[in-house]
Every structure is written in structure tokens, then in C-alpha cells.
């Protein structure tokens, strides 16, 4: 038996035959060509074919994993048409009189090297994207079939890495799990794996060859381990764990329709985080009490130009109507840092995580902000919409928002457009906001604590830098004290406070959040019922005594 440790992308137990997926080496030779124009035309035709393939992948991903996760294939289409990338290939063909395959391979190496050397983690991830689109181009140019992950029987896929295009083609009925040697927890493939609900590991140092291919494997997604050729004792133990997991899942189904109330009568709201309207089915399926975070930035990220007021209104209206009177908290535009929109034409920043992002962009570009607010106020007529402003650090920012809101209402009234004024709250994501939360609480209707950024800024650690994983501690006493302080200050001012960051789904802390008096936890839909179970089995008063 061999045991390999990796980083868990998605939990659960998978037991089955290992199927090694290895990409065929694409041999590219440098050839001298005579007809330069014909070779450039051959490159253009290959690009058109590759774009068509990516459109088909986008359509498939849209059906299976939603608009936000399908967006990568639109990005890849744009990258294929990028002027710098295309001109580099064309110039190489024309100046060096070489074949298109060689020009594509050289350009891919040059661009990937450039992206990999950048300090920004988001830009580093683009190196993998350049390689992916270039490999697709080479496959078309060489007249080969596009490769995909294939398995004749349910298997554990083991690979050096998986590109987004390969991951989305996984047949969920045939794939029990996937394990990769490379890849990060923030890669497109990892995000897709979570959405698809497949137990998965990345960063797992195991051989990708015949020493594991065809052997029995066990993936323990919860603990980040893969067992290859397990012994009978391990196999029996893991089968038992798998059985327990399935039984737990069935038991959780019985919690649908039940209250989120502790044994001693303390209630808490359990809401869901979503990125687009395609996620609404899983929200309803998992019996969420509302939506605690609708990431409106995906409406912008999935487009090549600014979404109009009407386009946004229709999306917000659809969400409000679908949730049928349940609260829907929509976060206003939160781009910047690792979420970039080319058409915003933002200036390059040395430290984008601390730069012009979220509410700062909205206040510097009020017309964009007002367009979104008009759509939100109009959509509030159709359901219980609440608005949440991200990255607030001062009372002055809230006062500026209120001035803009006043202008928006005046504009709607002047045009005779029906609207309702929704609840308005802010995200607490910085130590500055925590320290003045007593003042901020007097200005808004609610707080939602964004623990991802709060942890990052409190510990001074880039949460996307995998080299610092050993130092990144979301359970750090400073972070937990800050959450408690925010909740206390909210309650003193008579408003409610929730958590919408990843920490809200951390079941090791659910009881701690109940002790703190957190009013709402907003998590991914699949975490609603497991947290409801903990809530309903907890006696907060007894737990407080136990902690002493």
C-alpha cells in the first residue's frame, strides 16, 4: 500500500480503479516554409476551429456547472483573439518563415514564462491558460482529435494536472474523483470540482505512470489522502467511512423544513452564497432560508462591456421572484484584486489587494455604481432584496453612498419608475472596519463579516499564496476576537450581524459562532443541512460551561 498526501479540494470518500490520464507529448518541429501567407491563413483557420470548440465547451459547462464557472471558456476564446498573442505568432511566421506549429509553441513558452514571473497570483494563473489554449491550437494544426478525460468504468482520475477544458468534460457518471500532482486550491479546475461535487485533491506528489494505473485506489477528500493498492484493513475501514458518509447524507435530508434552532432555543439564519441565477436550484434544493451573498461582480466578469441597467434589473428580479419573499442580499460590484475586468481599463497596481477595488471603484466611478443601484431598487419591488456594500473602512464612505442613493431615488421618481428602498448593510472585511464597527453600526441595517479578506488583512498574508499556507490560520485568536467584537457592536446598535466568508462553513466553529451570538451564516448551498444538524444538536448554555 502506498499513501500520498495532497490538498483537499472537495471532501468525501471515493473507492475505485485508478485511471492515469497523461497528455500525449506534442512533438513540434521547426520547419522552413516558402508560402508565408498560406501559413498565416492556416493559423487563422486553426484559431477559428479552436474558438468553435471552446464555444461548445462553454455551452456544456453552462448547462452543467453554471454561468460563473463556464466563463473560463469565454476568457480562453478572448485570449486566442488577443492582439499581442496573435501578432507574436504571425510575426514569427512572417519574419522567421517558420511553420505555424513552431510559432504557436514558442509564443506559448514566451507568454507562459512572462505570466509565471509576475508577482500577482491572479496573473500567474494565466500561464496555465496560455498553455491550454496553445495546446488546443497545436492539436488542431496537427489534425489530431481534442483530448479529453475518458473512462469506461467509474474511476479515480490521476493526472499531472487538468486544464479547465479537461475538467468540464469529465463524465460525472464515470468519474469517482480526481487527483492531480500540480494545481492550486484557487485554480479554475478546483473551483469546478467543488461545483460538480467530486472528491478531489491537488498538489499530490504521486507518480503518474503504470505503477498506479489500473490499481485500486481510495481518495479521502476530507483528510487530503489517496491510498494506492490499499491493504484489507484500510479498505474495510474506508468502506465503513463511506457508508457512514452516505447514511449521514440521507439523515441530513430529513432536516429539510426544520428550524435552525438550538436545544435551548437560540435561533440562527442559514443562508446560501451564490454567483449567478443558475445556482438558485441548489439553493432551493438544500433548503436555504435565503441568499446571504449574491456575487454581482460575475454579471460584469462574464461580459465584454458594462451590463446595462435593464440587464441587471432582469437578473435581480429573477432572483427575487424565485426566492419568493426570502431575503436576497446582493453585494454591489466587487472587482479588483484577483477579479479583473479588462473593459474597466484599471491602472496596473503593485498591490491590487490593497488597491482600487470594490466600493472604492464604485465611489470613483459613480455612474457605474448608480446604474447598478437603480436596477437593485427597481428589482426590490419583486421580493425581499437587501443591498450589501463591500470593503467599507469609514463612516465617510457610507455617507457618500447615502448621497448617491438619494440621487438614485430622485432619478427614479423623476421618471415615474416604481421602486422600494431595500435594507442596506455593509461587509466588515478590514481591521479598520472592525475597530469602528460601533460607529458604522449606527449608519446601516446589518453587518456581514467577510472572513476571507478579514483574515488576509489581519494576518498580513495573501490568501492566494500557497507558499504561505502553513502561516495562514483562519482560526487565529485575533480573527475570532474581531468577529465577536463586530457582533457585540451590531447588537448594541440594534442591528443583526452575519458571516458570509468561508469561515461560516467551518463546522469546527459553528458552536463558537452560536456562543458569540452570530445571527446569520451564509455558506455554499451544500453546507446548509450539515450546519443545521450541528445547530439543532447544540445546547449553547451547556457548551459555554464546557468551554470554561
Amino acid at each position: 500500500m502506498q499513501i500520498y498526501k495532497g490538498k483537499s479540494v472537495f471532501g468525501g470518500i471515493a473507492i475505485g480503479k485508478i485511471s492515469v490520464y497523461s497528455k500525449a507529448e506534442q512533438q513540434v518541429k521547426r520547419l522552413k516554409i516558402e508560402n508565408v501567407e498560406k501559413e498565416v491563413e492556416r493559423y487563422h483557420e486553426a484559431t477559428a476551429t479552436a474558438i468553435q470548440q471552446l464555444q461548445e465547451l462553454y455551452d456544456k459547462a453552462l448547462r452543467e456547472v453554471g454561468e460563473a464557472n463556464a466563463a473560463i471558456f469565454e476568457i480562453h476564446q478572448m485570449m486566442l483573439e488577443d492582439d499581442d498573442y496573435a501578432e507574436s505568432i504571425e510575426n514569427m511566421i512572417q519574419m522567421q518563415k517558420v511553420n505555424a506549429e513552431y510559432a504557436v509553441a514558442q509564443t506559448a513558452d514566451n507568454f507562459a514564462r512572462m505570466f509565471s514571473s509576475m508577482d500577482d497570483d491572479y496573473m500567474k494563473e494565466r500561464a496555465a491558460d496560455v498553455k491550454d489554449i496553445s495546446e488546443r491550437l497545436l492539436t488542431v494544426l496537427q489534425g489530431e482529435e481534442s483530448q479529453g478525460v475518458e473512462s469506461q468504468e467509474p474511476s479515480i482520475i490521476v493526472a499531472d494536472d487538468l486544464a479547465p477544458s479537461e475538467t468540464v468534460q469529465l463524465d460525472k457518471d464515470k468519474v469517482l474523483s480526481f487527483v492531480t500532482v500540480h494545481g492550486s486550491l484557487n485554480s479554475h479546475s478546483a473551483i469546478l470540482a467543488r461545483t460538480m461535487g467530486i472528491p478531489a485533491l491537488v498538489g499530490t506528489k504521486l507518480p503518474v505512470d503504470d505503477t498506479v494505473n489500473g490499481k485500486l485506489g481510495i481518495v479521502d477528500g476530507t483528510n487530503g489522502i489517496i491510498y494506492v493498492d490499499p491493504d484489507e484493513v484500510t479498505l474495510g475501514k474506508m468502506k465503513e467511512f463511506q457508508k457512514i458518509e452516505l447514511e449521514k447524507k440521507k439523515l441530513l435530508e430529513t432536516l429539510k423544513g426544520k428550524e435552525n434552532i438550538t436545544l435551548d432555543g437560540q435561533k440562527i439564519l442559514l443562508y446560501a452564497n451564490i454567483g449567478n441565477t443558475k445556482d438558485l436550484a441548489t439553493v432551493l434544493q438544500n433548503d436555504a432560508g435565503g441568499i446571504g451573498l449574491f456575487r454581482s461582480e460575475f454579471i460584469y466578469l462574464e461580459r465584454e462591456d458594462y451590463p446595462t441597467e435593464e440587464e441587471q434589473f432582469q437578473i435581480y428580479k429573477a432572483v427575487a421572484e424565485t426566492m419568493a419573499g426570502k431575503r436576497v442580499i446582493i453585494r454591489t460590484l466587487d472587482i479588483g484584486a484577483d477579479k479583473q475586468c479588462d473593459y474597466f481599463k484599471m491602472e496596473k497596481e503593485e498591490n491590487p489587494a490593497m488597491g482600487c477595488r470594490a466600493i472604492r471603484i464604485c465611489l470613483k466611478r459613480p455612474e457605474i455604481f448608480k446604474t447598478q443601484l437603480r436596477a437593485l431598487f427597481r428589482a426590490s419591488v419583486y421580493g425581499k432584496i437587501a443591498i450589501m456594500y463591500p470593503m467599507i473602512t469609514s463612516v465617510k464612505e457610507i455617507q457618500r453612498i447615502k448621497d448617491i442613493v438619494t440621487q438614485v431615488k430622485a432619478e427614479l421618481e423623476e421618471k415615474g419608475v416604481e421602486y422600494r428602498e431595500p435594507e442596506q448593510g455593509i461587509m466588515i472585511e478590514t481591521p479598520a472596519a472592525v475597530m469602528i464597527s460601533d460607529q458604522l453600526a449606527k449608519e446601516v441595517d446589518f453587518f456581514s463579516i467577510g472572513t476571507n479578506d478579514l483574515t488576509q488583512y489581519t494576518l498580513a498574508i495573501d490568501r492566494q499564496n500557497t507558499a504561505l499556507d502553513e502561516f495562514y490560520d483562519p482560526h487565529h485568536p485575533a480573527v475570532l476576537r474581531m468577529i465577536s467584537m463586530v457582533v457585540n457592536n451590531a447588537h448594541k446598535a440594534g442591528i443583526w450581524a452575519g458571516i458570509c466568508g468561508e469561515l461560516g462553513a467551518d463546522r469546527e466553529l459553528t458552536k463558537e459562532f452560536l456562543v458569540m451570538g452570530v445571527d446569520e451564516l451564509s455558506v455554499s448551498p451544500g453546507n446548509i443541512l450539515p450546519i443545521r444538524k450541528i445547530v439543532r444538536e447544540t445546547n449553547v448554555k451547556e457548551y459555554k460551561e464546557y468551554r470554561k
Side-chain angles (χ1 to χ4, degrees), residues 277 308-321 375 378-379:
T277 54
T308 65
E309 178 184 327
E310 189 60 29
E311 286 172 334
Q312 293 189 64
F313 164 69
Q314 292 297 338
I315 292 169
Y316 305 143
K317 175 176 176 281
V319 176
E321 288 178 333
R378 288 171 58 196

Side-chain angles (χ1 to χ4, degrees), residues 143-323:
E144 298 171 1
E145 291 291 322
S146 291
Q147 289 185 314
V149 182
E150 293 183 4
S151 179
Q152 297 305 311
E153 60 179 296
S155 306
I156 294 168
I157 302 297
V158 168
D160 185 66
D161 201 359
L162 286 169
S165 55
E166 294 162 334
T167 311
V168 81
Q169 291 180 83
L170 295 173
D171 182 346
K172 284 181 278 187
D173 295 329
K174 297 282 179 65
V175 179
L176 301 171
S177 167
F178 73 75
V179 179
T180 63
V181 177
H182 297 103
S184 74
L185 295 174
N186 294 307
S187 68
H188 298 297
S189 297
I191 294 166
L192 281 168
R194 292 189 194 101
T195 305
M196 293 164 73
I198 301 173
L201 309 179
V202 296
T204 318
K205 303 304 178 189
L206 81 169
V208 185
D209 54 31
D210 288 339
T211 61
V212 299
N213 191 39
K215 293 189 176 177
L216 183 67
I218 302 172
V219 176
D220 179 355
T222 305
N223 296 301
I225 296 170
I226 178 171
Y227 301 89
V228 178
D229 202 10
D231 56 39
E232 288 300 319
V233 174
T234 303
L235 180 60
K237 186 170 71 172
M238 298 309 287
K239 279 185 176 178
E240 192 60 34
F241 285 158
Q242 188 180 45
K243 184 181 175 184
I244 291 168
E245 286 290 320
L246 290 171
E247 287 173 353
K248 282 181 181 176
K249 195 171 180 181
K250 287 179 182 175
L251 282 171
L252 288 174
E253 292 292 314
T254 66
L255 292 175
K256 288 184 177 179
K258 300 286 179 67
E259 274 194 291
N260 308 307
I261 187 168
T262 65
L263 293 172
D264 52 338
Q266 183 173 321
K267 293 183 179 181
I268 189 168
L269 300 169
L270 294 183
Y271 288 176
N273 296 336
I274 67 170
N276 56 61
T277 54
K278 300 290 191 305
D279 296 332
L280 288 172
T282 55
V283 172
L284 299 174
Q285 183 183 350
N286 287 278
D287 199 32
I291 293 171
L293 170 61
F294 181 99
R295 301 179 180 94
S296 72
E297 59 270 18
F298 283 111
I299 299 171
Y300 295 79
L301 291 168
E302 292 159 1
R303 283 166 168 73
E304 295 181 21
D305 203 352
Y306 299 101
T308 65
E309 178 184 327
E310 189 60 29
E311 286 172 334
Q312 293 189 64
F313 164 69
Q314 292 297 338
I315 292 169
Y316 305 143
K317 175 176 176 281
V319 176
E321 288 178 333
T322 302
M323 292 307 293

